[in-house]
Amino acid sequence: MWCTGLVSSRQRIGIVVVAMIVGVAAAGAYVGARWWHQRAPYDPAVLAASATLEFVTYDVAQAAMDEGIHAAVPQPGRQHVLGRVTWRKPPKPLAGGWFEILVIDQRTHTKPVSFSVSSPRVDAVSIGSDFVLYDVERKYAWLRGAGPIQVGDSWRDNGDSLSVSDEAASPVTFVALFPVAPEHSPPGGLGWATAPVAVSDLLVAMVHIGPDRQVYWAQRLL
């Protein structure tokens, strides 16, 4: 009886050890799969992306747009910023992922409220806001203002950005509008960037988002 009990104890210990090994292996496999899932298919350096910004008149802004695309009409105090973002074709297609192009006023941490866009694949460039930018802002502190703003129990858009779903869309040329804020309104109080603004106030960044909304990387272009 004593020997039988000893064997049973060893068996139980063996079962526990095996269970621990299986558990560790499963945890390792999960961590490995998650790491692989979050791993970018290529580094931003491969794209050699660059950006330019300049203030232009309405006529120059309109001339930079393709036929049928209109820049915002001029009004006293409004500013039109002409921007251009270029990159090399990456080694792999976006395949359900996309590039996010951000223009942020670093004084107020807000984005423009209006864009006009031209591109070789203009159908692949959309204007708007996406809640994934909240994750972008949490991951990269220097991109404060990328995501929506929480006001009480709700969230408010913080201006617009450009989403590019085709890697062949380079170059993306855009006109960002900076309207005049109403008198006595606080800076950034409208929830979007307003005039007057200087080019040195503006940050331009490119973010790679994966097909499952993973934030692969962000690169400061300007």
Side-chain angles (χ1 to χ4, degrees), residues 4 26 90 117 126 134 172 174 178 190 198 209:
T4 303
V117 182
S126 59
Y134 171 75
V172 171
F174 62 84
F178 293 83
L190 298 178
I209 309 294

Side-chain angles (χ1 to χ4, degrees), residues 46 77 86 104 124 126 133 136-137 139 147 152 159 167 172 184 196 201-202:
V46 172
T86 62
I104 300 176
S126 59
L133 294 176
V136 170
E137 185 173 339
K139 187 171 183 178
E167 65 279 359
V172 171
H184 306 306
D201 297 325
L202 302 177

Side-chain angles (χ1 to χ4, degrees), residues 112-160:
V113 70
S114 175
F115 283 96
S116 301
V117 182
S118 290
S119 163
R121 287 297 313 277
V122 71
D123 58 312
V125 183
S126 59
I127 304 167
S129 183
D130 192 301
F131 205 80
V132 74
L133 294 176
Y134 171 75
D135 296 327
V136 170
E137 185 173 339
R138 285 199 307 167
K139 187 171 183 178
Y140 300 101
W142 58 272
L143 278 175
R144 182 183 171 194
I149 301 172
Q150 186 170 12
V151 182
D153 295 331
S154 61
W155 293 86
R156 184 185 71 186
D157 286 341
N158 185 27
D160 291 335

Side-chain angles (χ1 to χ4, degrees), residues 188-213:
L190 298 178
W192 55 78
T194 57
V197 65
V199 168
S200 58
D201 297 325
L202 302 177
L203 177 153
V204 180
M206 189 173 187
V207 185
H208 188 183
I209 309 294
D212 293 323
R213 304 175 68 80

